[in-house]
Amino acid sequence: MKNKLFWPLVTLAVLLLANLIHNHDFFSITIQDGHLFGSLIDILNRAAPLVLISIGMTFVIATKGIDLSVGSVVSITGAMACLIISKGDGSSMSVLFTALGISLLLALAAGAWNGLLVSLLGIQPIVATLILMVAGRGVAQLITDGQILTISSKPYSFIGAGYLFGLPFSIYIIAFFFIIASVLTRKTAVGLFIESVGTNPTASRLAGIRSGLIIFIVYVLCSFLSGISGFILSSNVSSADGNNAGLWYELDAILAVVIGGNSLNGGRFYLSGTIVGALIIQTLTTSIYSMGVPPEVTLVVKSVVVLVVCLIQSEAFGSVFAARRRKRDKAAKQGVSA
Amino acid sequence: MDEKKHRLIMDRISKHFPGVKALTNVSFRMFPGEIHVLMGQNGAGKSTLIKVLTGVYSIDSGEIRLDDKEIRAQSPLEAQELGISTVYQEVNLCTNLTVSENIFIGREPMKRGRIDWKEMHAEAKVLLKRLNVDIDPTKQLGEYSVAIQQMVAIARALNISAKILILDEPTSSLDSNEVNELFKVMRKLKSEGLAILFVTHFLDQVYEMSDRITILRNGEFVGEYKAEELSRMELVSKMIGKEMDEMEQVQELVESHSSIGHQSPFLETKQLARKGSIERFDLKLYPGEILSLAGLLGSGRTEIARILFGADRADQGELKIKGRSVNLKSPRIAIDNGIAFCPENRKSEAIIDDLTIRENIILAMQASLGIFKYLPKKKQTEFADEYIKLLNIKAPGPETLIKNLSGGNQQKVILGRWLLTNPDLLILDEPTRGIDVGAKAEIMKQMGLLCQKGMSILFISSELEEVVRTSHRIAILRDRHKIAEIDNHNVSQQDIMKAIAGGVPNEK
């Protein structure tokens, strides 16, 4: 576990230090109107949706699966919540909870759909979730009638833009779900079963594990967390954009999981690695903007950093260097003896 | 023979892995034109020695000399260029490519920057001729039998400069005719001066083929012997050391405990069947009894086991457990009814290779407890330690990954997994296959002890000696039918073989 976290943490530290060199106030945190402000807080706040989705994605990937539909689920729940709130009284708490409840039911249904396709029908995860990736965005656009739906609701916007005890509320949300996820994997057998099913589904079934149920559960969990992210994203801007909300989140989430040291082959997973992975991605995005990198090269810079992180963690890449070093040592030795 | 020049000398080789001394000062040598068998239990260091020789692992200390020149291959490719060719146990060929493509993959003959197909097929033909194989190299490999595929693997391994050929358990998936074919080729290659390193678990083959035998035990060199000067008994006792007479004890254990018949059966089937896998069969399993299923591969042995465990569903007939009719729809339900199953394919159906010994052992029990009653880690470790000790599992500790254990020890972990659930019926499908004599004896001893405690055991094995030694009753299967059932009173292996082959014993 320590080994797995080492490189992601080093990468994160390097990124933060690079920012510090460029901007000496990078680590400073100030208090305005009782709220804490600063780049670090900002990164945490903006990373919240990605962190949540990545936690879910970690479970899915640990079962040797993948969920491409997370971005679409984000747009669905955002759209649904905004729609219900726009029809009712924006300041009413009961309207808010109705909106959240119904939207989360939708997210659970989306997860159940994915889970059934994968576990019951045995469709390959990448194909099964591709269906909802495409269809889901369509559903979101149907909900918002193809428009960007803008709402004005104080209680709803608190989710993504509010502050509690000086910190953005979204940070509490990710802390809460990270703790829940950790408890789920440490204090119950869910973690063991996920790793077992991800490593060898047949053997797991023959050991008495309901492999199908476990696979079903991880897709439902993943969709549920994506749904929560949908609230954070849409409430932050007080609007729902079926077309663009959560766009490409599936790719960032997969990347966060992989950068965090998790294998796409399933089996062992590292939640804390995933969190660090998601923070790396957000830090990268933030620093590219704050350093004033021209927008047309940001994507290239981002991909180069990701490539480097992946190379560092690649065993094959490491062994190439080890072999070269051995050869050099050998040559040096022969040189001495000759 | 000692005056002849050595082809290979491996001198005082040591290789350590974290927590395991895989090889300690092992020496090994080969002469041109001989077949040299490397013997030892699983985990004795045979595979490590071969991997060291073929450049898969580097050595910690020692020296390897090939034709009096020191070599240190860094990769299998380098080893092959030096003249050390290997055919591994699991043939790794591509059945959807042609025979010649398989032989020349990665080193295709080229002409003007393109593959010279004509030359390739012609050369393949020549290479195969040398191995007495006359097949069409332009056809897909998958069209030929496993034995032919094995020959193709040998043809691929043998290039012109080959000096040593390593055959790692090449016969485990061949029938006796195919084995004979392979042996013919081996003798021919031997007469051409090749040194052949042959690894096998079959004693008959050892004595049929080998000139000399080197024995390893626990990563140490026991000795090198001329085949004709070493008796079977000596060979086995040198391989397994003290565990020798445990096999005898098993038989006594089982024989001392044959007072059944008065009890009611734990499990009973009436005309149970599954289309395409097993015809209707009646079976009664009593507490404290070992029932063996004897029959050839594909006769329906595994199929019965899978149905009784709910891994496959029966589509006809009735199954009763303790007199109550039960529908075993899934392994989960079977386990809840006190049934446990060690499947035939350990690697693909039993072990969870990325998990630790501890996790593998508690897995079935945890699955029965469910998601929320999670065993505390301390309890898990206690259970793991208990079974590591009870079953004599050789491992650095409970946190070792199961994939790093030898086959025999993996099998013991799986046995531990099920014993922890305290089942009434234990189904063992080929529990002793591919594992060494020591682990075999221990597993069979456990079987004896368990049935004495009142457990019912369904035992499947291709080795009739084990069947005769351990079981109270034997059910004979042929072509997906249960054809007979015999009480094991002085039944000989021959009797069973006759029954399998078709001579009907009368004691149905």
Side-chain angles (χ1 to χ4, degrees), chain A residues 201-320:
Chain A
T202 312
S204 301
R205 178 171 171 263
L206 290 182
I209 296 174
R210 295 183 171 95
S211 301
L213 182 66
I214 296 292
I215 290 174
F216 179 78
I217 288 175
V218 296
Y219 283 95
V220 173
L221 273 178
C222 187
S223 274
F224 179 78
L225 291 171
S226 308
I228 305 274
S229 297
F231 299 148
I232 298 178
L233 280 167
S234 73
S235 76
N236 189 272
V237 292
S238 283
S239 69
D241 178 355
N243 210 9
N244 290 309
L247 199 62
W248 305 131
Y249 261 73
E250 58 282 344
L251 299 184
D252 273 351
I254 294 167
L255 200 56
V257 173
V258 173
I259 291 180
N262 297 286
S263 161
L264 285 176
N265 287 327
R268 289 274 185 225
F269 65 88
Y270 309 91
L271 267 187
S272 33
T274 297
I275 307 290
V276 177
L279 291 179
I280 288 175
I281 292 177
Q282 188 55 49
T283 309
L284 194 55
T285 313
T286 305
S287 34
I288 285 173
Y289 287 129
S290 72
M291 285 184 189
V293 176
E296 60 270 23
V297 293
T298 50
L299 286 179
V300 176
V301 172
K302 198 171 164 185
S303 61
V304 168
V305 175
V306 169
L307 177 68
V308 170
V309 176
C310 293
L311 283 182
I312 291 172
Q313 291 188 43
S314 146
E315 273 173 36
F317 187 72
S319 64
V320 169

Side-chain angles (χ1 to χ4, degrees), chain B residues 430-450:
Chain B
E430 296 274 14
T432 57
R433 189 166 74 179
I435 70 174
D436 56 89
V437 188
K440 253 181 212 181
E442 269 172 60
I443 284 175
M444 291 170 69
K445 185 171 115 191
Q446 283 301 326
M447 284 170 56
L449 291 170
L450 290 170

